[in-house]
Amino acid sequence: MEQTKKILICGGGIAGPACAWWLTRYGYSVVLVEKAGALRDGGQNIDVKGAAQQVIKRMGLTEQVEARDTLECGQKWLDATGKVVAVFPKGSIGGLTSDFEILRGDFARILFDATHGTCEYRFGTSVSGVDEIENGVRATFANGTTEDFALVICADGVSSPTRELTLAAETRMRYLGAYMAFFNIPRRPEDDFWACSVNGIGGTMINLRPGGLTETTVLITFSAAEPGLRSPTAPSRREMLRAALAGRGKVADRIVADLDAVQDFYFGPMSQVQASTWSKGRLVLLGDAAHCPTPFTGKGTALALVGAYVLAGEIKRCATHTQAFQAYERILRPYVERSQQELSPRLIRLMHVRTRFGIAIAHVLQRCFGSALIQWLLQANAKTRARRIDDDFTLPIY
């Protein structure tokens, strides 16, 4: 496509700014809109795996990412009283902590700093309409104004309102059998740089992770029937969360005590976005808007970075937007589907053990896999696994 074309990106999280970085590098004019009034610098720990690390390297951002590392030492499994059950130091097989651990907000800030001088950011607005016109798209914004663009890239998250304007019929949500909540609570003097995980009765799983000098990040998942939050008789989100934490032990009690003061609170069903196509006309989906795998896979950020790289590269390489969107989907979809298939409702049920006996078995397995002998045996094949990760997706050269 001609480099003089102006492209609209909806969403100022990870995927949108990453795509903007590549598009402006290729000479395109980019406008990025974000409904939040300012850069959202909150959020949970994210890890960057596999091919996404190569994307960061090609962007020249490795040092900045490493400088913002959360310094997480590894993962400790605790019982209901707070006693350590098993320890998985950073680098352990089966542990939570990866090579790149960074808060989502810190990573968003890095991408913003790398792009705000080369593309136009518009905060506090969103797209309310998208209409095809000759050789372009006319976008209508929340304030009623309109503007024409060559393409619209929809990167505004799992519940993308822009996607609903054009691709609602082609998109379904695959519910995995659990709800999830994430937010921050005040850091306490006893908090260290280890992630702490707890299995609670009734299928509740709790994770506390380092979140900076003043905060600790919280991720809670718990088994539940099909989503019913919109029902008139449905309990509130915080009521559901309190019920999932009641009687789950020391760590759960701490979270409940801080819950009323939480401001930036996410709660919703653990669902994957599955779209039969990622584009229609001159609009294309990117990141979680196209294929959210759920945060439980730990691959959402990686898929966003790789997808941004591929989409921008194909827009640059191909003669038309239709060819670019088809190539982008052909290259990326197998990688996305493999990532999504790592989770299933059955696996989620197995991971969220419900009974005290089941939790006792889980503790035995955690101790076993955390032992020096088992880790030594697993590490023997670590290089082979690492090669498989690298081979899982080969980045094109643009």
Side-chain angles (χ1 to χ4, degrees):
M1 288 182 58
E2 295 178 21
Q3 293 179 337
T4 56
K5 299 290 187 180
K6 185 168 65 171
I7 296 175
L8 174 65
I9 298 178
C10 303
I14 302 299
C19 193
W21 191 95
W22 290 104
L23 288 171
T24 55
R25 184 171 182 264
Y26 297 148
Y28 294 96
S29 173
V30 176
V31 174
L32 193 150
V33 298
E34 166 57 49
K35 66 179 180 180
L39 181 69
R40 297 178 63 189
D41 56 4
Q44 292 286 300
N45 306 60
I46 57 175
D47 46 17
V48 184
K49 300 176 180 178
Q53 294 183 6
Q54 293 301 311
V55 174
I56 290 176
K57 184 177 181 180
R58 293 184 188 185
M59 296 173 77
L61 298 177
T62 301
E63 290 186 4
Q64 291 94 313
V65 172
E66 290 177 341
R68 298 290 189 95
D69 192 282
T70 63
L71 304 179
E72 188 171 281
C73 301
Q75 178 186 19
K76 294 179 180 178
W77 283 97
L78 310 179
D79 65 14
T81 67
K83 181 181 177 181
V84 176
V85 173
V87 178
F88 290 79
K90 185 174 183 176
S92 299
I93 304 301
L96 190 64
T97 309
S98 68
D99 293 337
F100 282 12
E101 289 287 349
I102 185 171
L103 294 176
R104 180 208 165 276
D106 286 345
F107 191 35
R109 172 64 64 180
I110 290 171
L111 292 174
F112 175 77
D113 289 344
T115 55
H116 75 87
T118 56
C119 70
E120 180 185 354
Y121 276 82
R122 299 178 188 173
F123 290 101
T125 189
S126 59
V127 173
S128 60
V130 177
D131 297 298
E132 292 272 347
I133 58 174
E134 185 178 1
N135 298 320
V137 178
R138 180 157 294 157
T140 302
F141 296 99
N143 63 1
T145 61
T146 62
E147 192 169 343
D148 296 346
F149 298 89
L151 304 173
V152 175
I153 297 174
C154 170
D156 45 355
V158 59
S159 301
S160 167
T162 315
R163 181 188 64 215
E164 294 303 298
L165 296 175
T166 56
L167 285 162
E170 290 80 8
T171 306
R172 78 178 187 96
M173 307 299 289
R174 182 196 184 206
Y175 180 59
L176 296 178
Y179 278 83
M180 60 193 313
F182 44 85
F183 48 91
N184 296 330
I185 58 175
R187 182 178 174 86
R188 294 185 178 181
E190 64 268 24
D191 291 343
D192 54 23
F193 288 96
W194 287 82
C196 296
S197 303
V198 181
N199 289 116
I201 58 171
T204 297
M205 187 179 295
I206 305 167
N207 292 283
L208 299 185
R209 305 185 73 177
L213 297 177
T214 61
E215 294 180 320
T216 292
T217 68
V218 180
L219 169 63
I220 301 166
T221 57
F222 60 93
S223 300
E226 283 286 338
L229 288 175
R230 296 181 181 179
S231 168
T233 59
S236 73
R237 289 162 170 77
R238 297 198 190 217
E239 287 173 347
M240 289 181 67
L241 186 55
R242 285 191 178 90
L245 291 171
R248 268 65 171 188
K250 182 178 179 180
V251 173
D253 291 344
R254 169 190 172 178
I255 296 170
V256 171
D258 289 331
L259 191 56
D260 284 339
V262 170
Q263 299 296 321
D264 192 3
F265 177 79
Y266 172 85
F267 182 96
M270 185 189 294
S271 299
Q272 294 178 337
V273 175
Q274 296 186 332
S276 59
T277 180
W278 294 345
S279 64
K280 178 178 285 188
R282 291 177 176 266
L283 182 141
V284 62
L285 306 180
L286 175 65
D288 281 353
H291 46 64
C292 175
T294 80
F296 224 66
T297 63
K299 289 190 174 182
T301 301
L303 291 174
L305 288 171
V306 172
Y309 172 82
V310 173
L311 177 58
E314 293 302 323
I315 290 173
K316 172 201 173 195
R317 185 182 67 85
C318 294
T320 69
H321 69 277
T322 301
Q323 293 172 351
F325 293 169
Q326 290 174 347
Y328 154 67
E329 186 165 347
R330 183 180 66 250
I331 293 168
L332 196 66
R333 186 177 280 275
Y335 183 44
V336 166
E337 291 180 348
R338 287 196 301 272
S339 299
Q340 289 191 332
Q341 288 165 6
E342 291 179 4
L343 286 183
S344 67
R346 180 180 181 184
L347 180 59
I348 293 297
R349 286 196 299 272
L350 289 173
M351 295 174 70
H352 290 75
V353 289
R354 301 185 63 86
T355 65
R356 297 188 187 279
F357 177 74
I359 292 172
I361 296 299
H363 288 169
V364 170
L365 293 174
Q366 289 157 6
R367 291 190 189 98
C368 177
F369 280 96
S371 68
L373 175 61
I374 296 300
Q375 283 294 313
W376 180 80
L377 292 172
L378 293 173
Q379 291 285 356
N381 293 322
K383 291 184 178 180
T384 300
R385 281 190 296 274
R387 284 195 298 270
R388 288 174 181 170
I389 290 172
D390 290 339
D391 293 341
D392 191 37
F393 185 87
T394 302
L395 289 176
I397 302 296
Y398 296 111

